[in-house]
Amino acid sequence: MQIQVVKSKIHRVKCTGAELNYIGSITIDEDLMDASNIIQGEKVQIVNNDNGERLETYCIPGPRNTGEITLNGAAARKVSVGDTLILITYAFMDIEEAKVFKPALVFPDEATNLLK
């Protein structure tokens, strides 16, 4: 049997952009992607602490060391610039593997979204 567990988490970042007229996805500073072990095209759950919205999309890398967190396409309607977000990815694994697995948890600076 396999279960789904948290693989990666970027905790409490500010939304820096909302681009409705874009094909879709979330743009994430590539430094944050690397630190959290999130890869381009990976499905990401977005939790908006300010309005309670939860949604899923895929990620694309943004410029490094910018703190960019931009929701694109229809997802842009679910956020406002400045909202506090939590970004989570999940992985399927065997129960025994899950018991010892350690997710990549990243806690960026809440004012800049940059790694501390």
Side-chain angles (χ1 to χ4, degrees), residues 19-93:
E19 299 294 332
L20 183 60
N21 295 314
Y22 191 84
I23 295 174
S25 70
I26 181 172
T27 305
I28 303 171
D29 178 325
E30 196 165 5
D31 287 340
L32 294 173
M33 288 177 63
D34 288 348
S36 60
N37 196 27
I38 295 173
I39 64 168
Q40 181 173 347
E42 186 170 358
K43 183 167 125 177
V44 179
Q45 180 183 43
I46 299 141
V47 179
N48 187 327
N49 279 8
D50 292 315
N51 66 17
E53 290 282 356
R54 288 177 173 256
L55 62 116
E56 294 177 340
T57 190
Y58 62 94
C59 63
I60 59 174
R64 291 185 181 277
N65 200 37
T66 60
E68 180 177 359
I69 303 290
T70 300
L71 275 293
N72 302 306
R77 295 193 183 277
K78 304 288 188 177
V79 299
S80 295
V81 172
D83 283 357
T84 300
L85 309 176
I86 300 170
L87 312 178
I88 309 164
T89 66
Y90 301 89
F92 287 99
M93 58 188 71

